[in-house]
Amino acid sequence: MRMSDPWDLVVVGAGPAGSATALGALTAAPRLRVLLLDRADFPRDKACGDGVAPDVTDVLAVLGLPGLLDDWAPLRRLELSHGERRVSRPMRRPVRVVPRTVLDHRLLQAAVAAGARWERRRVRSVRVSRDGVVVDDELSARVVVGADGAYSVVRRAAGLPAVTRRAIALRGYVATPPQWTGKQVIAFDQRHAQAYAWCFDRGDGLANVGYGAFGTDGLTRATLLERLGELLPGAEDGDDWRGHHLPLSSWRWAQPGGRLLLAGDAAGLINPMTGEGLHYAVASGALAGRAAAAAVAAHRPGTAGARHRRAVRALLGRHLRHTATAARLSVLPAVLTAGIAAADRDQSVFDDLVDLGLGQGRLTRRTLSALSRALIVP
Ligand SMILES: Cc1cc2nc3c(=O)[nH]c(=O)nc-3n(C[C@H](O)[C@H](O)[C@H](O)COP(=O)(O)OP(=O)(O)OC[C@H]3O[C@@H](n4cnc5c(N)ncnc54)[C@H](O)[C@@H]3O)c2cc1C
């Protein structure tokens, strides 16, 4: 289908946000003509901790994919430490650690099965014209969703500046050491504010290990590996290392009106406390797809951006303000230690913090008062 016959929806990027966009659109309007583009062939890897929060599986179920990841072991225990202070507790709902070669490929296959057309293409230009959007001077669409990750071409075309608050992280795989079997382990760095090393057991004999730091100044691959080895000795012996930037969300989330929509990392949606981005990717993708489908059905494709903005703000607006506040507070080592102490004392505070870091939770009154108590009596 070329210029003369526009696609209803072109999605740039077929990661979790892009496939969720296609699925969101096609579950709302099964006859919609959806083209999904990615510069990579699939299965493709992506630097990630591979931690799939329960809120991700909730969104996938709504998109018609219940049980998509049931063959991967559920992880129930989370261990957090900052120096000597430590908490190890069961999570209310399990996380799964699923390599992105598996997760992203399954999602893309589901989008194609739902009716999306998939093509390999590196998109270089996106231009809004009087009656549509032109991609690479070759394809035309009523609506385009940019799900093209941290260095998004569509974000630039929509006139939004690149996200300046970024983290950098490096991940590898190691044979799961016995002391880290069956859990997610996070060791916060005392030498670098807002940085941590992790080891997430996949349940198949391998664990995803890595180190991420919020702010990117002066951090080289060698420094990241050195910090990982110091915090989780042995983890630095892994292989298959891969690094990437994380564009972090802030107090306010921007989406222009019009025909260009953004989802996932392209929309600057990564939790600034934890680096979690998969839930935001599938949730914002599903909403972008539905907004595009509704705008096309109403013969008003130019309203898609405003519909998407309203939907994302309704779902995540308050949560994003709370995580922005929590991320600012947790720069202070005393607050981080107090948070771990409070979570160690009270399972419900632990649960609230997990929801804030991995899902759509808020800074609850219960958590704030437990934090203040822990600041007074560490
Ligand atoms: C080291 C690390 C660890 C992380 N750990 C976790 C974790 O444990 N849990 C979690 O929830 N999140 C984690 N994240 C964040 C998570 O990886 C991202 O938030 C997630 O990948 C966002 O999905 P997305 O679909 O928006 O973008 P991506 O997964 O980056 O997909 C974007 C797609 O767009 C394609 N693309 C880009 N440009 C173009 C173009 N011009 N034309 C065509 N295609 C294009 C790319 O090939 C890619 O397939 C981590 C991130 C890093 C870097």
Side-chain angles (χ1 to χ4, degrees):
M1 201 168 311
R2 300 293 147 185
M3 289 289 254
S4 52
D5 196 359
W7 292 90
D8 292 321
L9 170 63
V10 168
V11 184
V12 183
S19 292
T21 299
L23 286 160
L26 289 162
T27 44
R31 294 166 65 91
L32 208 72
R33 285 163 310 141
V34 179
L35 176 63
L36 190 48
L37 303 171
D38 202 291
R39 65 183 176 198
D41 206 0
F42 282 68
R44 67 104 180 81
D45 196 5
K46 151 83 177 69
C48 191
D50 301 338
V52 182
D55 295 61
V56 176
T57 17
D58 291 349
V59 176
L60 299 186
V62 172
L63 291 174
L65 307 172
L68 185 77
L69 305 173
D70 280 0
D71 53 335
W72 285 81
L75 272 191
R76 300 186 186 278
R77 184 160 287 272
L78 172 64
E79 203 171 287
L80 303 171
S81 66
H82 186 223
E84 293 304 304
R85 185 53 88 169
R86 182 174 303 269
V87 55
S88 175
R89 281 190 175 277
M91 290 177 280
R92 217 161 29 85
R93 299 199 297 157
V95 163
R96 287 183 160 77
V97 182
V98 184
R100 296 289 298 271
T101 42
V102 175
L103 173 70
D104 295 29
H105 194 214
R106 287 187 186 177
L107 288 175
L108 174 58
Q109 285 173 321
V112 170
R117 163 95 168 268
W118 142 251
E119 273 181 28
R120 186 168 179 195
R121 168 190 286 262
R122 174 190 287 269
V123 170
R124 294 178 193 279
S125 73
V126 175
R127 184 169 47 84
V128 180
S129 70
R130 205 158 47 89
D131 17 72
V133 186
V134 181
V135 176
D136 286 346
D137 295 325
E138 242 181 86
L139 301 166
S140 75
R142 296 194 162 85
V143 176
V144 166
V145 174
D148 47 343
Y151 318 102
S152 170
V153 169
V154 182
R155 183 180 180 91
R156 243 190 341 265
L160 287 180
V163 176
T164 48
R165 204 170 131 58
R166 285 180 177 245
I168 190 163
L170 182 73
R171 78 96 230 264
Y173 292 107
V174 72
T176 311
Q179 72 274 24
W180 298 328
T181 300
K183 51 189 167 188
Q184 284 199 297
V185 176
I186 291 182
F188 290 97
D189 198 342
Q190 290 182 293
R191 281 183 33 196
H192 190 303
Q194 286 199 299
Y196 67 80
W198 73 82
C199 176
F200 298 165
D201 185 14
R202 291 178 7 175
D204 63 350
L206 288 179
N208 181 311
V209 288
Y211 179 90
F214 297 74
T216 58
D217 289 349
L219 289 166
T220 61
R221 183 189 163 106
T223 337
L224 299 175
L225 273 174
E226 182 201 306
R227 299 305 307 136
L228 171 62
E230 196 163 307
L231 289 160
L232 297 175
E236 79 282 15
D237 297 333
D239 56 20
D240 208 0
W241 296 106
R242 199 178 266 265
H244 207 270
H245 281 123
L246 295 86
L248 306 174
S249 66
S250 57
W251 181 266
R252 215 177 141 66
W253 181 75
Q255 160 66 55
R259 295 172 184 257
L260 299 185
L261 280 56
L262 297 168
D265 283 13
L269 285 172
I270 291 194
N271 190 310
M273 277 175 69
T274 57
E276 201 278 352
L278 289 170
H279 167 242
Y280 296 162
V282 292
S284 62
L287 292 178
R290 282 185 213 131
V296 169
H299 302 290
R300 297 180 66 206
T303 63
R307 289 172 193 263
H308 183 45
R309 182 170 57 228
R310 278 197 298 278
V312 173
R313 286 195 177 151
L315 183 74
L316 294 176
R318 221 163 138 203
H319 162 78
L320 294 179
R321 290 195 288 280
H322 283 227
T323 50
T325 307
R328 268 192 209 152
L329 290 173
S330 62
V331 173
L332 303 168
V335 173
L336 187 56
T337 310
I340 292 176
D344 191 29
R345 284 173 197 153
D346 184 340
Q347 175 75 39
S348 46
V349 170
F350 177 86
D351 293 339
D352 288 353
L353 287 172
V354 170
D355 274 352
L356 186 67
L358 300 186
Q360 290 170 210
R362 314 254 166 100
L363 262 177
T364 58
R365 208 173 283 239
R366 169 168 69 193
T367 298
L368 286 170
S369 43
L371 259 178
S372 353
R373 281 198 301 277
L375 275 168
I376 296 163
V377 185

